[in-house]
């Protein structure tokens, strides 16, 4: 049958960026400020086993993108979600009203990831990912430029400013007609 056309009454926001750029920190603060639902994809994958095992080389779960998208479809249709993940090219484009790419100065990111215990190639791969703006390019390839927002995330003041920017964006957002 014909798919029911749903107009979500609250927006969905995707927060992406290299690991360590502050996605979870900013998403948590934004969820508090807006009462939107914070969906941390990494946590969801672990809790619901939406993966195909462990990648020994990259030291992370091999995420099953189809399972993740199936799991999220109803929530995303309902609206009012902040999706937090270091990838963005496998979600349906129609899900999001705003796509935020967080960016961090290389030396700041290096310190954050070292503190997190990253060493060797895991550390250098993520720093390279940030240097080459991999997530910004991925977002540009996957979503319309009009809904893309690249935001600096070096300091705590940046978190506050980004939350304020997005709260204001949300205040002006209306369901599409
Ligand atoms: P991600 O979810 O993108 O991997 P996190 O939110 O877990 O990043 O942040 C990684 C670390 O950096 C945490 O210790 C957090 O407190 C810190 N952090 C995140 N964003 C900022 C920021 N804008 N300024 C200072 N510290 C930050
Ligand atoms: Mn995180």
């Amino acid at each position: 049958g014909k798919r029911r056309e749903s107009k979500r009454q609250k927006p969905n926001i995707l927060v992406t960026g290299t690991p360590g750029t502050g996605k979870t920190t900013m998403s948590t603060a934004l969820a508090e400020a807006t009462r939107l639902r914070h969906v941390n994809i990494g946590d969801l994958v672990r809790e619901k086993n939406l993966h195909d095992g462990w990648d020994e080389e990259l030291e992370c779960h091999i995420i099953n993108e189809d399972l993740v998208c199936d799991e999220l479809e109803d929530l995303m249709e309902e609206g009012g979600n902040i999706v937090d993940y270091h990838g963005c090219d496998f979600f349906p484009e129609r899900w999001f009203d705003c796509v935020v790419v967080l960016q961090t100065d290389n030396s700041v990111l290096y310190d954050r990831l070292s503190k997190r215990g990253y060493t060797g190639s895991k550390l250098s791969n993520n720093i390279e990912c940030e240097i080459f703006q991999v997530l910004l390019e991925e977002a540009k390839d996957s979503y319309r430029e009009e809904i893309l927002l690249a935001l600096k995330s070096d300091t705590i003041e940046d978190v506050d400013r980004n939350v304020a920017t997005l709260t204001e964006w949300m205040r002006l957002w209306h369901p599409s007609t």
Side-chain angles (χ1 to χ4, degrees):
K2 186 171 176 289
R3 195 189 165 80
R4 185 169 54 88
E5 275 300 314
S6 76
K7 299 272 178 280
R8 49 182 177 263
Q9 298 300 307
K10 287 182 182 173
N12 291 322
I13 301 172
L14 174 61
V15 179
T16 192
T18 306
T21 50
K23 299 179 296 297
T24 301
T25 303
M26 208 278 291
S27 299
T28 302
L30 184 63
E32 206 154 287
T34 60
R35 312 313 303 165
L36 296 185
R37 183 191 295 119
H38 178 195
V39 181
N40 185 322
I41 298 294
D43 291 347
L44 186 78
V45 164
R46 278 184 292 275
E47 282 161 17
K48 304 225 163 181
N49 271 303
L50 309 176
H51 59 79
D52 302 316
W54 183 255
D55 187 320
E56 291 290 346
E57 195 178 326
L58 296 179
E59 300 173 60
C60 62
H61 279 116
I62 303 159
I63 182 175
N64 185 315
E65 299 174 349
D66 293 336
L67 288 182
V68 169
C69 290
D70 287 350
E71 179 71 29
L72 288 176
E73 182 64 53
D74 289 350
L75 273 188
M76 298 306 290
E77 189 171 323
E78 189 183 315
N81 301 286
I82 302 165
V83 174
D84 162 0
Y85 193 58
H86 59 261
C88 65
D89 62 356
F90 63 91
F91 301 117
E93 189 181 355
R94 64 186 157 78
W95 275 2
F96 298 107
D97 304 291
C98 179
V99 175
V100 177
V101 182
L102 294 182
Q103 299 190 298
T104 301
D105 175 82
N106 303 322
S107 59
V108 174
L109 186 64
Y110 189 96
D111 290 344
R112 280 189 205 160
L113 292 177
S114 301
K115 265 193 199 144
R116 194 183 260 186
Y118 285 23
T119 56
S121 64
K122 185 158 184 168
L123 178 57
S124 55
N125 284 343
N126 281 306
I127 298 298
E128 261 183 39
C129 175
E130 189 61 6
I131 291 173
F132 292 110
Q133 303 196 313
V134 170
L135 266 305
L136 183 63
E137 291 306 318
E138 188 174 318
K140 281 181 179 172
D141 288 342
S142 308
Y143 302 93
R144 286 177 301 122
E145 194 106 33
E146 304 95 85
I147 71 162
L148 269 188
L149 213 50
L151 299 175
K152 189 165 79 76
S153 177
D154 292 344
T155 66
I156 293 302
E157 289 72 42
D158 291 335
V159 178
D160 294 342
R161 197 194 50 249
N162 294 339
V163 167
T165 300
L166 291 166
T167 304
E168 178 61 9
W169 170 85
M170 195 178 145
R171 202 177 65 76
L172 301 172
W173 181 86
H174 294 289
S176 63
T177 47

